[in-house]
Amino acid sequence: MRRLAIVVLSLGLLGCSVAYSAPGQGEMALYPTAPELLPQELEIVRLVNEYRVGNGLKVLSVSLQLSRAARKHAAAMAGRGEMAHIMDGKGPGARAREEGFTRTVGENVGAGTPGAPADFIDLWVDSPEHRANMLRVEWGEIGVGFAHAEEQGEDYWVALFGALP
C-alpha cells in the first residue's frame, strides 16, 4: 500500500545551488543529467518537469543541495520505517539549510511498496496538496531523494522544491 504525507512548507533566505541541463538547450532539459543522482531520482525529476510543462510551467533545475537533503531524509525515513516531514525536530527548511540551501522550500514525501517512480508521481498528482506543491510557480529548483527499506520492503521518496533566487 502506498501512502502520502501532507505538504509542509518552510521559509528561508537567499542561497545558491548547482543546476544541470542537456548540452545545446537554452532551458533546463526535461531529461536532466546529474551524475550524483540515482537513475530513480533523475526519473522523478523528469516526471515532475514533464508534468509542469504540461501545465504551462517552466522546468525545474536539479539542486545538489536539495538533493543531498532529500536523500538524507529518505534514508532516515527508511531507517525508521516511518514517513514524516519532521524528524528529530527538523522540517524540510532546516534540512535544506544544513546543506546550504537557504531559500523557501516545499516538500512532498511518499512511501510504499516498491514501484516505478511514475507510480509515486501519480499518487502526488492525485493528491490536491502534493499536486499544488509540484505546480507552484515560484519553484525553480528540485532535489530528489530515494531510499529502499529492505526490512519493510518499502521505498521512500522525498522531493524538495526550492524557490528561485
Side-chain angles (χ1 to χ4, degrees):
M1 169 186 237
R2 293 194 177 87
R3 57 190 191 276
L4 300 174
I6 297 172
V7 175
V8 175
L9 300 177
S10 298
L11 298 177
L13 304 170
L14 292 178
C16 63
S17 65
V18 177
Y20 292 87
S21 62
Q25 294 204 3
E27 198 170 312
M28 173 65 199
L30 210 50
Y31 298 92
T33 59
E36 295 83 356
L37 270 61
L38 299 169
Q40 305 96 311
E41 294 166 341
L42 285 172
E43 181 66 1
I44 290 287
V45 173
R46 185 190 70 77
L47 291 167
V48 167
N49 279 336
E50 189 176 88
Y51 186 66
R52 287 176 60 85
V53 167
N55 283 278
L57 298 170
K58 291 183 178 183
V59 296
L60 304 174
S61 61
V62 174
S63 163
L64 296 181
Q65 294 165 322
L66 292 177
S67 293
R68 283 190 303 268
R71 189 178 285 168
K72 287 177 182 178
H73 187 52
M77 291 191 305
R80 292 182 182 186
E82 173 187 342
M83 183 179 63
H85 286 286
I86 298 173
M87 286 190 149
D88 299 323
K90 295 179 193 169
R95 291 189 302 275
R97 280 189 301 278
E98 285 179 351
E99 296 301 327
F101 192 94
T102 56
R103 287 176 265 141
T104 303
V105 300
E107 180 178 73
N108 285 359
V109 298
T113 55
D119 295 338
F120 287 89
I121 292 292
D122 289 344
L123 290 170
W124 287 341
V125 168
D126 290 343
S127 162
E129 295 88 3
H130 292 85
R131 180 177 55 249
N133 206 26
M134 290 192 300
L135 297 176
R136 289 185 61 178
V137 297
E138 60 267 32
W139 299 148
E141 299 180 71
I142 185 171
V144 177
F146 166 77
H148 177 72
E150 194 66 42
E151 198 170 297
Q152 298 99 336
E154 289 193 314
D155 287 346
Y156 289 82
W157 293 93
V158 176
L160 269 175
F161 303 94
L164 291 166

